[in-house]
Amino acid sequence: VGVTGIAGPTGGTEQNPVGTVVIAVTTASTRTVCTFRFPFARVGVKLFAAQMALDLVRRLLLGIEPATAFVWRGVPESRSGS
């Protein structure tokens, strides 16, 4: 399992804004890579990245299609804090 990204509050670019996270899981026979953009401040990005990584492993173990999108239906928190 590998997780990388830009949690913020700085470091983002137009192409890879703050909140961009890439999660990869490989086995002897498969490789799954998913990219997400989380609309949260640093702590939220880290929390959701960890949860999505664990969910990806769970789905692969159960033979369920991995999530390829993240939809947040709440109000995005401020990106200015840590």
Side-chain angles (χ1 to χ4, degrees):
V1 178
V3 180
T4 189
I6 305 165
T10 62
T13 64
E14 265 188 52
Q15 186 176 3
N16 294 306
V18 169
T20 302
V21 175
V22 180
I23 302 169
V25 176
T26 62
T27 67
S29 60
T30 64
R31 176 180 60 190
T32 302
V33 179
C34 299
T35 301
F36 300 97
R37 290 206 173 117
F38 300 121
F40 308 114
R42 181 177 179 81
V43 172
V45 171
K46 291 169 68 175
L47 175 70
F48 274 80
Q51 290 297 313
M52 293 302 283
L54 291 171
D55 184 61
L56 181 55
V57 170
R58 179 187 69 86
R59 287 170 178 264
L60 291 173
L61 290 172
L62 294 174
I64 300 171
E65 189 70 25
T68 57
F70 174 81
V71 178
W72 176 253
R73 305 235 187 259
V75 177
E77 60 185 82
S78 170
R79 287 189 186 266
S80 62
S82 52

Short mmCIF file of all heavy atoms in Angstrom, two decimals, residues 1-72:
data_model
loop_
_atom_site.label_atom_id
_atom_site.label_comp_id
_atom_site.label_asym_id
_atom_site.label_seq_id
_atom_site.Cartn_x
_atom_site.Cartn_y
_atom_site.Cartn_z
N VAL A 1 0.86 -1.17 0.00
CA VAL A 1 0.00 0.00 0.00
C VAL A 1 0.90 1.23 0.00
O VAL A 1 1.84 1.32 0.80
CB VAL A 1 -0.91 0.04 1.25
CG1 VAL A 1 -1.76 1.29 1.26
CG2 VAL A 1 -1.77 -1.20 1.32
N GLY A 2 0.61 2.16 -0.87
CA GLY A 2 1.35 3.41 -0.92
C GLY A 2 0.39 4.58 -0.98
O GLY A 2 -0.63 4.50 -1.66
N VAL A 3 0.69 5.62 -0.23
CA VAL A 3 -0.14 6.83 -0.22
C VAL A 3 0.77 8.03 -0.35
O VAL A 3 1.77 8.15 0.37
CB VAL A 3 -0.96 6.95 1.09
CG1 VAL A 3 -1.81 8.21 1.08
CG2 VAL A 3 -1.82 5.72 1.30
N THR A 4 0.44 8.92 -1.28
CA THR A 4 1.19 10.16 -1.43
C THR A 4 0.20 11.25 -1.80
O THR A 4 -0.90 10.97 -2.29
CB THR A 4 2.31 10.03 -2.48
OG1 THR A 4 3.13 11.20 -2.44
CG2 THR A 4 1.75 9.84 -3.88
N GLY A 5 0.60 12.48 -1.56
CA GLY A 5 -0.30 13.56 -1.92
C GLY A 5 0.13 14.89 -1.32
O GLY A 5 1.22 15.01 -0.77
N ILE A 6 -0.77 15.85 -1.45
CA ILE A 6 -0.52 17.20 -0.97
C ILE A 6 -1.61 17.53 0.04
O ILE A 6 -2.74 17.86 -0.32
CB ILE A 6 -0.52 18.20 -2.14
CG1 ILE A 6 0.48 17.75 -3.20
CG2 ILE A 6 -0.21 19.61 -1.63
CD1 ILE A 6 0.32 18.45 -4.53
N ALA A 7 -1.26 17.43 1.32
CA ALA A 7 -2.24 17.65 2.39
C ALA A 7 -2.40 19.13 2.71
O ALA A 7 -3.40 19.53 3.30
CB ALA A 7 -1.84 16.88 3.64
N GLY A 8 -1.41 19.94 2.35
CA GLY A 8 -1.52 21.38 2.59
C GLY A 8 -0.96 21.78 3.93
O GLY A 8 -0.36 20.97 4.61
N PRO A 9 -1.09 22.99 4.30
CA PRO A 9 -1.90 24.02 3.65
C PRO A 9 -1.24 24.63 2.41
O PRO A 9 -1.88 25.34 1.67
CB PRO A 9 -2.09 25.07 4.74
CG PRO A 9 -0.90 24.95 5.61
CD PRO A 9 -0.53 23.49 5.57
N THR A 10 0.05 24.38 2.18
CA THR A 10 0.71 24.89 0.98
C THR A 10 1.24 23.72 0.18
O THR A 10 1.16 22.57 0.58
CB THR A 10 1.87 25.82 1.35
OG1 THR A 10 2.85 25.06 2.09
CG2 THR A 10 1.41 27.00 2.19
N GLY A 11 1.79 24.02 -0.98
CA GLY A 11 2.43 23.00 -1.80
C GLY A 11 1.65 22.59 -3.03
O GLY A 11 2.16 21.89 -3.87
N GLY A 12 0.40 23.02 -3.13
CA GLY A 12 -0.41 22.65 -4.28
C GLY A 12 -0.07 23.46 -5.52
O GLY A 12 0.54 24.53 -5.44
N THR A 13 -0.42 22.93 -6.66
CA THR A 13 -0.26 23.61 -7.95
C THR A 13 -1.61 23.55 -8.68
O THR A 13 -2.55 22.91 -8.20
CB THR A 13 0.81 22.93 -8.82
OG1 THR A 13 0.35 21.60 -9.15
CG2 THR A 13 2.14 22.85 -8.10
N GLU A 14 -1.69 24.19 -9.82
CA GLU A 14 -2.93 24.11 -10.61
C GLU A 14 -3.22 22.67 -11.00
O GLU A 14 -4.35 22.22 -10.95
CB GLU A 14 -2.82 24.97 -11.87
CG GLU A 14 -3.39 26.34 -11.70
CD GLU A 14 -3.44 27.10 -13.01
OE1 GLU A 14 -3.98 26.56 -14.00
OE2 GLU A 14 -2.93 28.22 -13.04
N GLN A 15 -2.19 21.95 -11.40
CA GLN A 15 -2.36 20.57 -11.84
C GLN A 15 -2.62 19.63 -10.66
O GLN A 15 -3.39 18.68 -10.78
CB GLN A 15 -1.12 20.11 -12.60
CG GLN A 15 -1.28 18.74 -13.22
CD GLN A 15 -0.07 18.35 -14.04
OE1 GLN A 15 0.90 19.07 -14.12
NE2 GLN A 15 -0.13 17.18 -14.65
N ASN A 16 -1.98 19.88 -9.53
CA ASN A 16 -2.14 19.05 -8.33
C ASN A 16 -2.42 19.95 -7.12
O ASN A 16 -1.52 20.26 -6.35
CB ASN A 16 -0.87 18.23 -8.08
CG ASN A 16 -0.64 17.21 -9.16
OD1 ASN A 16 -1.50 16.41 -9.45
ND2 ASN A 16 0.53 17.24 -9.76
N PRO A 17 -3.68 20.34 -6.96
CA PRO A 17 -4.02 21.25 -5.87
C PRO A 17 -3.94 20.55 -4.50
O PRO A 17 -3.92 19.32 -4.42
CB PRO A 17 -5.45 21.66 -6.18
CG PRO A 17 -6.00 20.56 -7.01
CD PRO A 17 -4.84 20.01 -7.79
N VAL A 18 -3.90 21.37 -3.45
CA VAL A 18 -3.95 20.83 -2.10
C VAL A 18 -5.18 19.94 -1.99
O VAL A 18 -6.25 20.27 -2.49
CB VAL A 18 -4.01 21.98 -1.07
CG1 VAL A 18 -4.34 21.45 0.31
CG2 VAL A 18 -2.70 22.75 -1.05
N GLY A 19 -5.02 18.78 -1.38
CA GLY A 19 -6.10 17.82 -1.26
C GLY A 19 -5.98 16.67 -2.24
O GLY A 19 -6.72 15.69 -2.15
N THR A 20 -5.04 16.74 -3.18
CA THR A 20 -4.83 15.66 -4.13
C THR A 20 -4.08 14.53 -3.43
O THR A 20 -3.05 14.73 -2.82
CB THR A 20 -4.00 16.13 -5.35
OG1 THR A 20 -4.70 17.21 -5.98
CG2 THR A 20 -3.80 15.00 -6.35
N VAL A 21 -4.62 13.31 -3.53
CA VAL A 21 -4.02 12.13 -2.91
C VAL A 21 -4.06 10.98 -3.90
O VAL A 21 -5.07 10.75 -4.56
CB VAL A 21 -4.79 11.73 -1.63
CG1 VAL A 21 -4.24 10.44 -1.04
CG2 VAL A 21 -4.73 12.84 -0.59
N VAL A 22 -2.94 10.25 -4.01
CA VAL A 22 -2.85 9.06 -4.84
C VAL A 22 -2.61 7.87 -3.93
O VAL A 22 -1.70 7.89 -3.10
CB VAL A 22 -1.73 9.18 -5.89
CG1 VAL A 22 -1.67 7.92 -6.75
CG2 VAL A 22 -1.93 10.41 -6.76
N ILE A 23 -3.44 6.85 -4.08
CA ILE A 23 -3.34 5.64 -3.27
C ILE A 23 -3.13 4.46 -4.21
O ILE A 23 -3.84 4.32 -5.20
CB ILE A 23 -4.62 5.41 -2.44
CG1 ILE A 23 -4.86 6.63 -1.54
CG2 ILE A 23 -4.52 4.13 -1.63
CD1 ILE A 23 -6.23 6.63 -0.88
N ALA A 24 -2.13 3.63 -3.90
CA ALA A 24 -1.84 2.46 -4.73
C ALA A 24 -1.75 1.22 -3.86
O ALA A 24 -1.23 1.26 -2.74
CB ALA A 24 -0.52 2.66 -5.47
N VAL A 25 -2.27 0.12 -4.39
CA VAL A 25 -2.15 -1.18 -3.74
C VAL A 25 -1.70 -2.17 -4.80
O VAL A 25 -2.28 -2.23 -5.88
CB VAL A 25 -3.50 -1.63 -3.13
CG1 VAL A 25 -3.37 -3.03 -2.54
CG2 VAL A 25 -3.97 -0.65 -2.08
N THR A 26 -0.66 -2.92 -4.50
CA THR A 26 -0.20 -3.94 -5.44
C THR A 26 -0.16 -5.30 -4.76
O THR A 26 0.03 -5.40 -3.54
CB THR A 26 1.21 -3.63 -5.98
OG1 THR A 26 2.13 -3.60 -4.90
CG2 THR A 26 1.25 -2.30 -6.70
N THR A 27 -0.39 -6.32 -5.56
CA THR A 27 -0.24 -7.70 -5.12
C THR A 27 0.65 -8.38 -6.14
O THR A 27 1.13 -7.73 -7.08
CB THR A 27 -1.60 -8.42 -5.04
OG1 THR A 27 -2.13 -8.56 -6.36
CG2 THR A 27 -2.59 -7.67 -4.18
N ALA A 28 0.83 -9.66 -6.01
CA ALA A 28 1.65 -10.39 -6.98
C ALA A 28 1.04 -10.34 -8.38
O ALA A 28 1.75 -10.42 -9.37
CB ALA A 28 1.83 -11.83 -6.53
N SER A 29 -0.29 -10.16 -8.45
CA SER A 29 -0.94 -10.21 -9.76
C SER A 29 -1.71 -8.96 -10.16
O SER A 29 -2.17 -8.87 -11.29
CB SER A 29 -1.90 -11.40 -9.79
OG SER A 29 -2.88 -11.26 -8.78
N THR A 30 -1.86 -8.00 -9.27
CA THR A 30 -2.64 -6.81 -9.61
C THR A 30 -1.98 -5.53 -9.11
O THR A 30 -1.16 -5.55 -8.20
CB THR A 30 -4.06 -6.85 -8.99
OG1 THR A 30 -3.93 -6.84 -7.57
CG2 THR A 30 -4.83 -8.06 -9.43
N ARG A 31 -2.36 -4.45 -9.75
CA ARG A 31 -1.94 -3.12 -9.30
C ARG A 31 -3.15 -2.20 -9.46
O ARG A 31 -3.73 -2.09 -10.54
CB ARG A 31 -0.78 -2.61 -10.15
CG ARG A 31 -0.37 -1.18 -9.78
CD ARG A 31 0.77 -0.69 -10.61
NE ARG A 31 0.38 -0.69 -12.02
CZ ARG A 31 1.21 -0.49 -13.01
NH1 ARG A 31 2.49 -0.28 -12.79
NH2 ARG A 31 0.79 -0.50 -14.26
N THR A 32 -3.52 -1.54 -8.38
CA THR A 32 -4.64 -0.61 -8.41
C THR A 32 -4.16 0.74 -7.92
O THR A 32 -3.54 0.84 -6.87
CB THR A 32 -5.79 -1.11 -7.49
OG1 THR A 32 -6.18 -2.42 -7.93
CG2 THR A 32 -6.98 -0.19 -7.56
N VAL A 33 -4.43 1.78 -8.71
CA VAL A 33 -4.02 3.13 -8.35
C VAL A 33 -5.24 4.04 -8.48
O VAL A 33 -5.92 4.03 -9.51
CB VAL A 33 -2.89 3.65 -9.27
CG1 VAL A 33 -2.50 5.07 -8.90
CG2 VAL A 33 -1.69 2.72 -9.23
N CYS A 34 -5.53 4.80 -7.42
CA CYS A 34 -6.67 5.71 -7.42
C CYS A 34 -6.21 7.10 -7.01
O CYS A 34 -5.39 7.24 -6.10
CB CYS A 34 -7.74 5.24 -6.44
SG CYS A 34 -8.41 3.61 -6.81
N THR A 35 -6.73 8.11 -7.68
CA THR A 35 -6.41 9.50 -7.35
C THR A 35 -7.69 10.18 -6.85
O THR A 35 -8.74 10.05 -7.47
CB THR A 35 -5.87 10.26 -8.58
OG1 THR A 35 -4.70 9.59 -9.04
CG2 THR A 35 -5.53 11.69 -8.23
N PHE A 36 -7.56 10.88 -5.74
CA PHE A 36 -8.69 11.58 -5.14
C PHE A 36 -8.32 13.03 -4.89
O PHE A 36 -7.15 13.37 -4.76
CB PHE A 36 -9.07 10.94 -3.79
CG PHE A 36 -9.46 9.50 -3.90
CD1 PHE A 36 -8.53 8.51 -3.63
CD2 PHE A 36 -10.74 9.13 -4.26
CE1 PHE A 36 -8.88 7.17 -3.72
CE2 PHE A 36 -11.10 7.80 -4.35
CZ PHE A 36 -10.16 6.81 -4.08
N ARG A 37 -9.34 13.88 -4.83
CA ARG A 37 -9.16 15.27 -4.41
C ARG A 37 -10.12 15.54 -3.26
O ARG A 37 -11.33 15.56 -3.45
CB ARG A 37 -9.42 16.22 -5.57
CG ARG A 37 -8.32 16.10 -6.60
CD ARG A 37 -8.15 17.38 -7.41
NE ARG A 37 -6.97 17.25 -8.25
CZ ARG A 37 -6.99 17.27 -9.57
NH1 ARG A 37 -8.13 17.43 -10.20
NH2 ARG A 37 -5.87 17.15 -10.24
N PHE A 38 -9.56 15.69 -2.07
CA PHE A 38 -10.36 15.90 -0.87
C PHE A 38 -10.45 17.39 -0.56
O PHE A 38 -9.43 18.06 -0.45
CB PHE A 38 -9.75 15.15 0.32
CG PHE A 38 -9.65 13.66 0.11
CD1 PHE A 38 -8.42 13.02 0.16
CD2 PHE A 38 -10.78 12.91 -0.12
CE1 PHE A 38 -8.33 11.66 -0.02
CE2 PHE A 38 -10.70 11.54 -0.31
CZ PHE A 38 -9.47 10.90 -0.26
N PRO A 39 -11.67 17.92 -0.36
CA PRO A 39 -11.85 19.36 -0.12
C PRO A 39 -11.75 19.73 1.36
O PRO A 39 -12.64 20.37 1.91
CB PRO A 39 -13.26 19.60 -0.65
CG PRO A 39 -13.98 18.33 -0.32
CD PRO A 39 -12.94 17.24 -0.53
N PHE A 40 -10.66 19.32 2.00
CA PHE A 40 -10.53 19.53 3.43
C PHE A 40 -9.20 20.20 3.75
O PHE A 40 -8.29 20.23 2.93
CB PHE A 40 -10.59 18.20 4.19
CG PHE A 40 -11.78 17.36 3.85
CD1 PHE A 40 -11.64 16.16 3.21
CD2 PHE A 40 -13.06 17.80 4.18
CE1 PHE A 40 -12.74 15.38 2.89
CE2 PHE A 40 -14.17 17.02 3.87
CZ PHE A 40 -14.01 15.81 3.22
N ALA A 41 -9.09 20.67 4.98
CA ALA A 41 -7.81 21.16 5.49
C ALA A 41 -6.91 19.95 5.74
O ALA A 41 -7.33 18.79 5.60
CB ALA A 41 -8.02 21.95 6.78
N ARG A 42 -5.68 20.19 6.12
CA ARG A 42 -4.65 19.16 6.25
C ARG A 42 -5.09 17.92 7.05
O ARG A 42 -4.92 16.80 6.60
CB ARG A 42 -3.41 19.79 6.89
CG ARG A 42 -2.25 18.83 7.05
CD ARG A 42 -1.04 19.55 7.63
NE ARG A 42 0.06 18.64 7.80
CZ ARG A 42 0.89 18.25 6.84
NH1 ARG A 42 0.73 18.73 5.61
NH2 ARG A 42 1.87 17.41 7.09
N VAL A 43 -5.67 18.14 8.22
CA VAL A 43 -6.06 17.01 9.06
C VAL A 43 -7.12 16.16 8.36
O VAL A 43 -7.07 14.93 8.37
CB VAL A 43 -6.58 17.50 10.43
CG1 VAL A 43 -7.18 16.37 11.24
CG2 VAL A 43 -5.44 18.15 11.20
N GLY A 44 -8.08 16.80 7.71
CA GLY A 44 -9.12 16.08 6.98
C GLY A 44 -8.57 15.29 5.81
O GLY A 44 -8.99 14.16 5.56
N VAL A 45 -7.62 15.88 5.08
CA VAL A 45 -7.00 15.17 3.95
C VAL A 45 -6.29 13.92 4.46
O VAL A 45 -6.44 12.83 3.90
CB VAL A 45 -6.02 16.09 3.18
CG1 VAL A 45 -5.23 15.30 2.15
CG2 VAL A 45 -6.77 17.23 2.52
N LYS A 46 -5.54 14.06 5.54
CA LYS A 46 -4.81 12.91 6.10
C LYS A 46 -5.78 11.83 6.59
O LYS A 46 -5.57 10.64 6.34
CB LYS A 46 -3.90 13.37 7.23
CG LYS A 46 -2.73 14.22 6.72
CD LYS A 46 -1.97 14.90 7.83
CE LYS A 46 -1.23 13.91 8.68
NZ LYS A 46 -0.38 14.57 9.70
N LEU A 47 -6.84 12.23 7.25
CA LEU A 47 -7.83 11.28 7.76
C LEU A 47 -8.51 10.52 6.62
O LEU A 47 -8.58 9.29 6.63
CB LEU A 47 -8.87 12.00 8.61
CG LEU A 47 -10.03 11.15 9.10
CD1 LEU A 47 -9.56 10.16 10.15
CD2 LEU A 47 -11.14 12.02 9.65
N PHE A 48 -9.00 11.26 5.63
CA PHE A 48 -9.70 10.61 4.53
C PHE A 48 -8.77 9.78 3.66
O PHE A 48 -9.17 8.74 3.15
CB PHE A 48 -10.48 11.64 3.71
CG PHE A 48 -11.84 11.92 4.26
CD1 PHE A 48 -12.00 12.78 5.33
CD2 PHE A 48 -12.96 11.30 3.74
CE1 PHE A 48 -13.26 13.03 5.86
CE2 PHE A 48 -14.22 11.54 4.26
CZ PHE A 48 -14.37 12.41 5.32
N ALA A 49 -7.53 10.19 3.50
CA ALA A 49 -6.56 9.40 2.73
C ALA A 49 -6.34 8.05 3.42
O ALA A 49 -6.33 7.00 2.76
CB ALA A 49 -5.25 10.15 2.59
N ALA A 50 -6.17 8.07 4.73
CA ALA A 50 -5.98 6.81 5.47
C ALA A 50 -7.22 5.92 5.35
O ALA A 50 -7.10 4.71 5.11
CB ALA A 50 -5.68 7.11 6.93
N GLN A 51 -8.39 6.50 5.49
CA GLN A 51 -9.63 5.72 5.40
C GLN A 51 -9.82 5.14 4.00
O GLN A 51 -10.22 3.98 3.86
CB GLN A 51 -10.84 6.58 5.78
CG GLN A 51 -10.89 6.94 7.24
CD GLN A 51 -11.03 5.71 8.11
OE1 GLN A 51 -11.84 4.83 7.87
NE2 GLN A 51 -10.23 5.63 9.15
N MET A 52 -9.53 5.92 2.98
CA MET A 52 -9.69 5.43 1.61
C MET A 52 -8.67 4.35 1.29
O MET A 52 -8.97 3.39 0.57
CB MET A 52 -9.61 6.58 0.61
CG MET A 52 -10.77 7.55 0.71
SD MET A 52 -12.40 6.80 0.46
CE MET A 52 -12.40 6.63 -1.31
N ALA A 53 -7.45 4.46 1.84
CA ALA A 53 -6.43 3.42 1.63
C ALA A 53 -6.89 2.10 2.26
O ALA A 53 -6.80 1.03 1.64
CB ALA A 53 -5.09 3.87 2.20
N LEU A 54 -7.38 2.17 3.48
CA LEU A 54 -7.88 0.96 4.14
C LEU A 54 -9.08 0.39 3.40
O LEU A 54 -9.21 -0.83 3.26
CB LEU A 54 -8.25 1.26 5.59
CG LEU A 54 -7.07 1.58 6.51
CD1 LEU A 54 -7.57 2.07 7.86
CD2 LEU A 54 -6.17 0.36 6.67
N ASP A 55 -9.96 1.26 2.91
CA ASP A 55 -11.12 0.79 2.17
C ASP A 55 -10.70 0.12 0.86
O ASP A 55 -11.29 -0.89 0.46
CB ASP A 55 -12.08 1.95 1.88
CG ASP A 55 -13.35 1.47 1.20
OD1 ASP A 55 -14.08 0.65 1.81
OD2 ASP A 55 -13.61 1.89 0.06
N LEU A 56 -9.68 0.65 0.22
CA LEU A 56 -9.19 0.05 -1.02
C LEU A 56 -8.66 -1.36 -0.75
O LEU A 56 -8.97 -2.30 -1.49
CB LEU A 56 -8.10 0.92 -1.65
CG LEU A 56 -7.50 0.43 -2.95
CD1 LEU A 56 -8.57 0.19 -4.02
CD2 LEU A 56 -6.46 1.42 -3.45
N VAL A 57 -7.89 -1.53 0.31
CA VAL A 57 -7.39 -2.86 0.67
C VAL A 57 -8.58 -3.79 0.97
O VAL A 57 -8.62 -4.94 0.50
CB VAL A 57 -6.44 -2.78 1.88
CG1 VAL A 57 -6.12 -4.16 2.41
CG2 VAL A 57 -5.18 -2.03 1.51
N ARG A 58 -9.54 -3.31 1.74
CA ARG A 58 -10.72 -4.11 2.07
C ARG A 58 -11.46 -4.57 0.82
O ARG A 58 -11.80 -5.75 0.65
CB ARG A 58 -11.68 -3.28 2.94
CG ARG A 58 -12.96 -4.01 3.34
CD ARG A 58 -13.92 -3.06 4.05
NE ARG A 58 -14.46 -2.05 3.15
CZ ARG A 58 -15.54 -2.23 2.38
NH1 ARG A 58 -16.19 -3.37 2.39
NH2 ARG A 58 -15.96 -1.25 1.59
N ARG A 59 -11.67 -3.63 -0.10
CA ARG A 59 -12.38 -3.97 -1.33
C ARG A 59 -11.62 -4.99 -2.16
O ARG A 59 -12.22 -5.92 -2.72
CB ARG A 59 -12.63 -2.71 -2.16
CG ARG A 59 -13.70 -1.81 -1.58
CD ARG A 59 -13.74 -0.46 -2.32
NE ARG A 59 -14.77 0.40 -1.83
CZ ARG A 59 -15.99 0.50 -2.37
NH1 ARG A 59 -16.31 -0.20 -3.44
NH2 ARG A 59 -16.87 1.31 -1.85
N LEU A 60 -10.31 -4.84 -2.25
CA LEU A 60 -9.52 -5.79 -3.03
C LEU A 60 -9.56 -7.18 -2.41
O LEU A 60 -9.66 -8.19 -3.11
CB LEU A 60 -8.09 -5.29 -3.19
CG LEU A 60 -7.95 -4.06 -4.08
CD1 LEU A 60 -6.52 -3.53 -4.05
CD2 LEU A 60 -8.34 -4.39 -5.52
N LEU A 61 -9.49 -7.26 -1.08
CA LEU A 61 -9.57 -8.55 -0.41
C LEU A 61 -10.91 -9.24 -0.60
O LEU A 61 -11.00 -10.47 -0.69
CB LEU A 61 -9.28 -8.39 1.09
CG LEU A 61 -7.85 -8.04 1.47
CD1 LEU A 61 -7.76 -7.72 2.95
CD2 LEU A 61 -6.91 -9.18 1.11
N LEU A 62 -11.97 -8.44 -0.67
CA LEU A 62 -13.32 -8.98 -0.84
C LEU A 62 -13.73 -9.15 -2.30
O LEU A 62 -14.81 -9.65 -2.59
CB LEU A 62 -14.34 -8.09 -0.12
CG LEU A 62 -14.22 -8.03 1.40
CD1 LEU A 62 -15.17 -6.99 1.97
CD2 LEU A 62 -14.48 -9.40 2.01
N GLY A 63 -12.89 -8.70 -3.21
CA GLY A 63 -13.21 -8.80 -4.63
C GLY A 63 -14.25 -7.78 -5.08
O GLY A 63 -14.96 -8.00 -6.06
N ILE A 64 -14.33 -6.64 -4.38
CA ILE A 64 -15.28 -5.58 -4.71
C ILE A 64 -14.55 -4.51 -5.53
O ILE A 64 -13.40 -4.19 -5.25
CB ILE A 64 -15.85 -4.93 -3.43
CG1 ILE A 64 -16.56 -5.98 -2.59
CG2 ILE A 64 -16.79 -3.78 -3.76
CD1 ILE A 64 -16.95 -5.48 -1.21
N GLU A 65 -15.23 -3.97 -6.52
CA GLU A 65 -14.65 -2.92 -7.35
C GLU A 65 -14.18 -1.75 -6.49
O GLU A 65 -14.90 -1.28 -5.63
CB GLU A 65 -15.70 -2.43 -8.36
CG GLU A 65 -15.18 -1.50 -9.41
CD GLU A 65 -14.29 -2.17 -10.42
OE1 GLU A 65 -14.39 -3.39 -10.62
OE2 GLU A 65 -13.47 -1.46 -11.02
N PRO A 66 -12.95 -1.26 -6.70
CA PRO A 66 -12.47 -0.13 -5.89
C PRO A 66 -13.23 1.16 -6.18
O PRO A 66 -13.70 1.37 -7.30
CB PRO A 66 -11.00 0.01 -6.29
CG PRO A 66 -10.78 -0.87 -7.45
CD PRO A 66 -11.96 -1.75 -7.62
N ALA A 67 -13.33 2.00 -5.17
CA ALA A 67 -13.94 3.32 -5.35
C ALA A 67 -13.02 4.16 -6.21
O ALA A 67 -11.81 4.20 -5.97
CB ALA A 67 -14.15 3.98 -4.00
N THR A 68 -13.55 4.80 -7.22
CA THR A 68 -12.72 5.63 -8.10
C THR A 68 -13.03 7.10 -7.97
O THR A 68 -12.43 7.92 -8.64
CB THR A 68 -12.91 5.20 -9.57
OG1 THR A 68 -14.29 5.31 -9.90
CG2 THR A 68 -12.44 3.79 -9.79
N ALA A 69 -13.97 7.43 -7.10
CA ALA A 69 -14.33 8.84 -6.92
C ALA A 69 -14.71 9.06 -5.47
O ALA A 69 -15.12 8.15 -4.77
CB ALA A 69 -15.50 9.22 -7.82
N PHE A 70 -14.54 10.29 -5.05
CA PHE A 70 -14.92 10.69 -3.70
C PHE A 70 -15.89 11.84 -3.83
O PHE A 70 -15.61 12.82 -4.51
CB PHE A 70 -13.69 11.14 -2.90
CG PHE A 70 -14.05 11.70 -1.56
CD1 PHE A 70 -14.32 10.87 -0.50
CD2 PHE A 70 -14.13 13.07 -1.38
CE1 PHE A 70 -14.66 11.38 0.73
CE2 PHE A 70 -14.48 13.60 -0.15
CZ PHE A 70 -14.74 12.74 0.91
N VAL A 71 -17.07 11.70 -3.24
CA VAL A 71 -18.08 12.76 -3.30
C VAL A 71 -18.39 13.20 -1.88
O VAL A 71 -18.81 12.40 -1.05
CB VAL A 71 -19.37 12.27 -4.00
CG1 VAL A 71 -20.41 13.38 -4.01
CG2 VAL A 71 -19.06 11.79 -5.40
N TRP A 72 -18.14 14.46 -1.60
CA TRP A 72 -18.43 15.03 -0.29
C TRP A 72 -19.70 15.84 -0.42
O TRP A 72 -19.78 16.76 -1.22
CB TRP A 72 -17.27 15.90 0.17
CG TRP A 72 -17.52 16.61 1.46
CD1 TRP A 72 -17.76 17.94 1.62
CD2 TRP A 72 -17.57 16.04 2.75
NE1 TRP A 72 -17.95 18.23 2.95
CE2 TRP A 72 -17.84 17.07 3.67
CE3 TRP A 72 -17.42 14.74 3.25
CZ2 TRP A 72 -17.96 16.86 5.03
CZ3 TRP A 72 -17.53 14.53 4.60
CH2 TRP A 72 -17.79 15.58 5.47
#
